[in-house]
């Protein structure tokens, strides 16, 4: 390592500026901020594998060379609603780094719009189920549901034409047809979270009797997501506390 060859000072109204020439020692080189995102265990993976070096300590003012000193100016934030954990390393310094772990919804699950207020026409829902029948517990039942949905809109329109003479009667007729023609629920099997194993759950079809728009609803999935996210986040929280008991952890 080369020594600093020269050093001189410049006085200014804002204070003293030190200018050094020559190759700087490693501990004087500019440190870059790092921003990384990944799976929910990313902060733990970083903390479990990263070894704080002498460079980490010499850059920190008024700290000695103990590992926990670096941890004391870092902290962890947990957002359960967003299913996100962030480790903020060297918080407040110009080279603060953020390591973000997210519990992500599986793309295959997300495209169905379950519990997300996504609406379908009966025909569009039938096409969606047909193209994704591999995610159903029983493919035969899935194709039966496809046939019922494809014939549903035509059936309703035909009955309305024959019987509806005013808006109130039309609404009653639609409600009766909806309640008797479409199965109350069916089973699906696929991963809810990215990287997780496929699980079986029940899904209901909600149909608006006025415009015939369809929604996929699953109270069971809502329970699974809430229970799983808390279990996973609590596990990661305890693993990180086990590595660094003095690390500040904030639930936001």
């Amino acid at each position: 390592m080369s020594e600093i060859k020269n050093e001189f000072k410049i006085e200014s109204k804002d204070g003293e500026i030190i200018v050094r020439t020559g190759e700087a020692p490693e501990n004087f080189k500019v440190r870059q901020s790092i921003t990384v995102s990944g799976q929910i265990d990313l902060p733990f993976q970083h903390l479990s594998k990263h070894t704080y070096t002498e460079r980490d300590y010499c850059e920190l003012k008024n700290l000695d060379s103990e590992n926990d000193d670096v941890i004391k100016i870092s902290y962890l934030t947990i957002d359960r609603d967003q299913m996100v954990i962030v480790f903020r390393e060297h918080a407040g310094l110009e080279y603060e780094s953020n390591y973000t772990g997210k519990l992500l919804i599986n793309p295959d699950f997300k495209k169905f719009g379950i519990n997300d207020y996504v609406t379908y026409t009966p025909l569009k829902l039938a096409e969606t189920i047909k193209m994704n029948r591999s995610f159903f517990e029983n493919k035969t039942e899935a194709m039966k549901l496809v046939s019922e949905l494809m014939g549903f809109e035509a059936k309703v329109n035909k009955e309305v034409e024959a019987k509806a003479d005013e808006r109130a009667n039309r609404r009653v007729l639609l409600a009766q047809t909806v309640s008797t023609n479409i199965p109350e629920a069916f089973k699906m099997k696929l991963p809810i979270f990215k990287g997780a194993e496929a699980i079986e759950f029940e899904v209901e079809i909600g149909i608006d009797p006025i415009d015939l728009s369809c929604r996929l609803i699953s109270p069971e999935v809502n329970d699974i997501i809430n229970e799983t996210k808390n279990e996973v986040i609590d596990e990661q929280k305890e693993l990180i506390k086990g590595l660094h008991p003095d690390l500040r952890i904030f639930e936001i």
Side-chain angles (χ1 to χ4, degrees):
M1 184 185 299
S2 300
E3 297 293 335
I4 296 175
K5 296 180 179 179
N6 198 7
E7 177 178 308
F8 57 93
K9 301 177 182 179
I10 301 174
E11 299 289 341
S12 71
K13 64 179 181 180
D14 297 323
E16 183 180 81
I17 299 174
I18 300 177
V19 179
R20 298 183 175 94
T21 62
E23 184 178 348
E26 182 182 355
N27 58 307
F28 286 103
K29 291 180 180 178
V30 177
R31 190 186 191 94
Q32 299 297 317
S33 296
I34 299 173
T35 300
V36 185
S37 295
Q39 293 279 40
I40 192 71
D41 64 344
L42 188 144
F44 171 72
Q45 292 298 330
H46 168 70
L47 283 164
S48 64
K49 295 176 182 177
H50 178 67
T51 301
Y52 292 105
T53 65
E54 195 66 26
R55 178 184 175 194
D56 289 284
Y57 310 119
C58 67
E59 289 176 334
L60 306 176
K61 296 179 180 179
N62 301 319
L63 295 177
D64 56 32
S65 297
E66 292 184 8
N67 192 53
D68 279 343
D69 288 328
V70 177
I71 293 301
K72 286 175 182 175
I73 63 163
S74 304
Y75 62 90
L76 194 80
T77 59
I78 296 174
D79 187 333
R80 293 179 185 266
D81 291 335
Q82 298 300 316
M83 301 187 293
V84 173
I85 298 175
V86 182
F87 174 57
R88 305 185 187 278
E89 187 176 64
H90 297 141
L93 301 183
E94 61 185 61
Y95 49 85
E96 175 185 327
S97 295
N98 293 328
Y99 298 86
T100 302
K102 300 179 180 179
L103 188 57
L104 301 172
I105 299 296
N106 185 287
D108 287 330
F109 173 84
K110 196 171 184 178
K111 66 185 176 185
F112 287 99
I114 298 171
N115 296 340
D116 279 347
Y117 299 97
V118 175
T119 58
Y120 301 86
T121 63
L123 180 59
K124 182 63 178 177
L125 181 56
E127 292 174 348
T128 300
I129 292 172
K130 183 178 181 179
M131 296 304 294
N132 295 279
R133 58 187 177 179
S134 62
F135 296 124
F136 287 73
E137 180 190 36
N138 187 310
K139 290 183 181 180
T140 301
E141 290 298 319
M143 292 311 297
K144 181 181 177 183
L145 180 57
V146 168
S147 298
E148 290 171 341
L149 285 166
M150 291 181 72
F152 172 71
E153 189 167 355
K155 178 182 177 181
V156 171
N157 288 338
K158 185 177 180 179
E159 291 186 6
V160 168
E161 284 180 15
K163 299 181 181 179
D165 52 4
E166 57 185 72
R167 182 171 297 178
N169 287 342
R170 179 179 185 276
R171 179 167 186 161
V172 171
L173 178 61
L174 286 171
Q176 290 173 343
T177 306
V178 167
S179 65
T180 58
N181 190 68
I182 301 297
E184 291 185 3
F186 56 90
K187 296 283 189 177
M188 296 185 70
K189 188 174 183 179
L190 72 159
I192 295 178
F193 293 102
K194 188 174 181 179
E197 295 183 359
I199 59 172
E200 184 182 286
F201 52 86
E202 188 174 80
V203 180
E204 302 169 8
I205 300 178
I207 300 181
D208 189 313
I210 302 303
D211 62 8
L212 301 184
S213 60
C214 305
R215 284 183 55 215
L216 297 180
I217 305 164
S218 178
E220 184 178 359
V221 162
N222 192 57
D223 291 341
I224 291 170
I225 289 176
N226 285 327
E227 291 169 5
T228 302
K229 75 178 181 182
N230 284 318
E231 288 174 1
V232 171
I233 288 173
D234 286 341
E235 179 185 27
Q236 292 300 309
K237 182 177 178 179
E238 290 305 311
L239 286 171
I240 291 170
K241 285 173 65 176
L243 287 174
H244 297 292
D246 290 336
L247 176 65
R248 292 172 294 163
I249 300 177
F250 303 105
E251 299 256 4
I252 61 174

